[in-house]
Amino acid sequence: MKDTSRGISRNGGRNFLYLAAGVAALAGLLFGYDTGVISGAILFIKDQFMLSSGAIQKVVSAVLLGAVIGSAFSGALADRFGRKKVLIVTAILFAIGAIGAALSPTVAMIVIFRMIIGMAIGVASYTAPLYISEISPPDARGALVSLNQLMITCGIVVSYLVDYALTLGHNEWRWMFGLGALPAAILLIGMIALSESPRWLISRNRLEEARAVLSHMMPVTAVDAEMRAIQGSLVVKAGSWREVMSPWIRPALTVGIALAFFQQVTGINTIIYYAPTIFEFAGFASHKVSILATVGVGSVNVLMTIVAIWFIDRLGRKPLLYIGLTGMTLSLGMLGLAFYLPGMMGALKILTVLSVIFYIASFAISLGPIFWLIIAEIYPLKVRGRAMSLATLANWGFNMAVASTFLTLTEKLGKAGAFWFYAVVCIFAMVFCYFYVPETKGQTLENIENFLKKNKGLRAFGRM
């Protein structure tokens, strides 16, 4: 039976959407794996090559520098060549980077190939949610786009498990890197088999191709109406950078960049990249035990992302942001306290693990998936690729700044001071979300765009 009121078949249409979203979300799995795997690998690279704190930060940050470069160019590429072709290229880059890093004889070569992986991550981190958002109906868009974030968390926990399984000798870090080529190959094959985004096809006046894709997603009787709605949102075929900066789009641009700042500068990737290091700070005796504790953290990340996907289209974006940011603030405060109070060496391990788990759980239901969802929703179609590229570029820039300064920050402010600094940023994030982030639950992309065109800003849209 078909549910035409929702504009999509319950069986064939939904199955096609789930398949397409699942394949595209493999880019998220690679994103998570290649960012998370360094947390364990760096312990062995550090020992083998006798790295200083500064050198460790450079190896960890190499992938982030590549991500900044990739995200800087990916918006224009996706608008010109399409979402599908760009994801195919990123799969190839993932495979080249993984194999190259695994075979690298020097730290410099590791850095180069990790930068290539970073370029793929920078492109995939916005292209995958963009593609998924453009094939999804409003009632399922939050969950389907957040599937990408779920796959990121799954990739991270898989990388932790691989790190743990391979803590046998000094050269196992090569296998840690190299195994990333397997999901890259699956993504490549899957994207070759999938269709292009119908919204991008219509923006390029490839109407018959778009009609064929839409016919797989919804009843034939609804295709014409959907095409007219998409065409109505297209003032021009592709927007310029000048249009991205135009006054009516600027509020959405500000929200995207600010959320990118808060997602990173609330400290998430200090946990992802340095979790084993943090646990060693707390007194865990060996690399293997530290990585095992990190596996538990990654598992919580996956479970709570599933919770977020369940609630994101039911409860809404902003309530989850408030809940998550409150939890992040409290857990960072406790983590700082664990390192501040003297004489708690025995309790320090327990409090550190619990604080990190609470932090990850809070992030996973809020800033983790919602940043990527919001930037896939609030930008007009004609500039969506460029605007998301800019927000993603900002995200990776802030990410690189945090990852490349965390160890230095702990040396300057102390371990407690570093975590308290991130807690203060969480408080500012809550204030910003209350006043400026729109509630987009249940809204079509065209409704959001039409509201923007009224030039009233986003504060009044779905405000709660």
Side-chain angles (χ1 to χ4, degrees):
M1 181 178 177
K2 294 179 179 179
D3 181 4
T4 55
S5 66
R6 293 196 177 191
I8 188 164
S9 164
R10 284 191 183 276
N11 297 314
R14 288 285 182 179
N15 290 339
F16 176 86
L17 285 173
Y18 297 152
L19 175 63
V23 170
L26 285 173
L29 180 75
L30 283 156
F31 175 163
Y33 183 88
D34 285 313
T35 54
V37 75
I38 193 65
S39 66
I42 194 63
L43 299 177
F44 300 97
I45 295 171
K46 174 188 68 174
D47 291 345
Q48 184 169 334
F49 294 99
M50 307 284 290
L51 300 183
S52 65
S53 294
I56 292 171
Q57 290 179 156
K58 288 178 182 177
V59 173
V60 172
S61 302
V63 75
L64 306 177
L65 178 58
V68 170
I69 296 169
S71 59
F73 295 99
S74 53
L77 292 174
D79 282 343
R80 180 173 179 179
F81 297 108
R83 291 37 166 157
K84 173 180 174 175
K85 289 181 180 178
V86 169
L87 283 172
I88 288 173
V89 172
T90 62
I92 295 171
L93 289 177
F94 273 124
I96 292 172
I99 295 170
L103 299 177
S104 294
T106 65
V107 171
M109 292 299 293
I110 294 173
V111 168
I112 290 171
F113 282 106
R114 291 286 291 169
M115 283 181 62
I116 292 173
I117 290 173
M119 291 171 64
I121 290 173
V123 175
S125 62
Y126 97 93
T127 308
L130 171 63
Y131 177 84
I132 296 170
S133 75
E134 291 187 344
I135 65 172
S136 302
D139 67 300
R141 189 175 61 243
L144 288 176
V145 173
S146 296
L147 177 64
N148 183 68
Q149 179 66 23
L150 175 62
M151 294 299 279
I152 293 174
T153 63
C154 287
I156 291 170
V157 77
V158 167
S159 75
Y160 291 163
L161 287 169
V162 168
D163 287 352
Y164 178 73
L166 294 176
T167 53
L168 302 174
H170 292 297
N171 282 319
E172 268 62 19
W173 60 267
R174 297 186 184 277
W175 284 101
M176 294 175 186
F177 288 150
L179 287 174
L182 294 179
I186 298 172
L187 175 63
L188 175 62
I189 295 169
M191 286 309 305
I192 290 173
L194 286 183
S195 305
E196 179 56 84
S197 156
R199 283 178 168 83
W200 183 82
L201 290 170
I202 291 172
S203 75
R204 292 293 166 171
N205 206 33
R206 293 161 59 175
L207 302 183
E208 291 307 311
E209 293 176 68
R211 187 183 302 276
V213 175
L214 287 170
S215 68
H216 291 294
M217 302 179 180
M218 60 186 61
V220 175
T221 54
V223 170
D224 286 339
E226 181 69 12
M227 289 188 67
R228 285 194 297 271
I230 295 172
Q231 286 174 309
S233 69
L234 290 171
V235 178
V236 294
K237 290 183 178 179
S240 65
W241 282 110
R242 178 174 293 181
E243 288 174 292
V244 173
M245 302 296 177
S246 60
W248 70 280
I249 296 176
R250 202 174 298 148
L253 198 63
T254 301
V255 167
I257 293 173
L259 286 178
F261 173 83
F262 289 123
Q263 191 195 56
Q264 296 304 323
V265 188
T266 49
I268 180 57
N269 283 312
T270 63
I271 306 297
I272 299 300
Y273 303 143
Y274 293 109
T277 303
I278 291 170
F279 291 140
E280 289 191 354
F281 284 166
F284 284 86
S286 70
H287 294 344
K288 195 175 185 71
V289 173
S290 296
I291 292 173
L292 180 60
T294 304
V295 171
V297 171
S299 300
V300 170
N301 197 7
V302 173
L303 292 174
M304 294 307 294
T305 302
I306 294 172
V307 171
I309 290 174
W310 179 258
F311 282 108
I312 205 163
D313 285 317
R314 293 171 172 81
L315 192 58
R317 284 59 160 156
K318 293 186 74 169
L320 289 179
L321 283 171
Y322 300 146
I323 294 168
L325 283 165
T326 299
M328 290 166 66
T329 303
L330 294 174
S331 56
L332 286 166
M334 289 191 297
L335 191 57
L337 187 64
F339 285 104
Y340 180 75
L341 294 178
M344 359 176 359
M345 204 59 195
L348 179 57
K349 296 178 184 178
I350 297 173
L351 187 56
T352 299
V353 172
L354 291 177
S355 298
V356 169
I357 287 174
F358 187 28
Y359 173 86
I360 284 289
S362 300
F363 178 86
I365 63 168
S366 57
L367 278 175
I370 291 175
F371 164 71
W372 300 109
L373 174 58
I374 289 288
I375 68 169
E377 293 180 318
I378 62 176
Y379 299 124
L381 175 57
K382 65 176 182 176
V383 297
R384 190 170 295 146
R386 291 178 185 268
M388 284 185 68
S389 173
L390 193 58
T392 306
L393 172 64
N395 183 273
W396 285 110
F398 295 133
N399 189 336
M400 183 173 67
V402 171
S404 61
T405 58
F406 172 65
L407 295 180
T408 302
L409 193 66
T410 60
E411 291 172 0
K412 300 293 184 182
L413 299 181
K415 300 176 183 68
F419 292 118
W420 286 338
F421 169 79
Y422 297 138
V424 171
V425 177
C426 287
I427 295 172
F428 282 106
M430 275 191 282
V431 174
F432 179 85
C433 289
Y434 178 79
F435 285 106
Y436 296 105
V437 174
E439 179 54 74
T440 55
K441 180 184 71 171
Q443 298 290 337
T444 67
L445 299 179
E446 288 70 33
N447 283 346
I448 298 169
E449 179 171 343
N450 289 336
F451 185 87
L452 269 175
K453 288 177 180 176
K454 296 177 183 178
N455 206 21
K456 294 182 179 179
L458 281 172
R459 282 200 295 179
F461 187 81
R463 192 171 180 183
M464 43 181 303

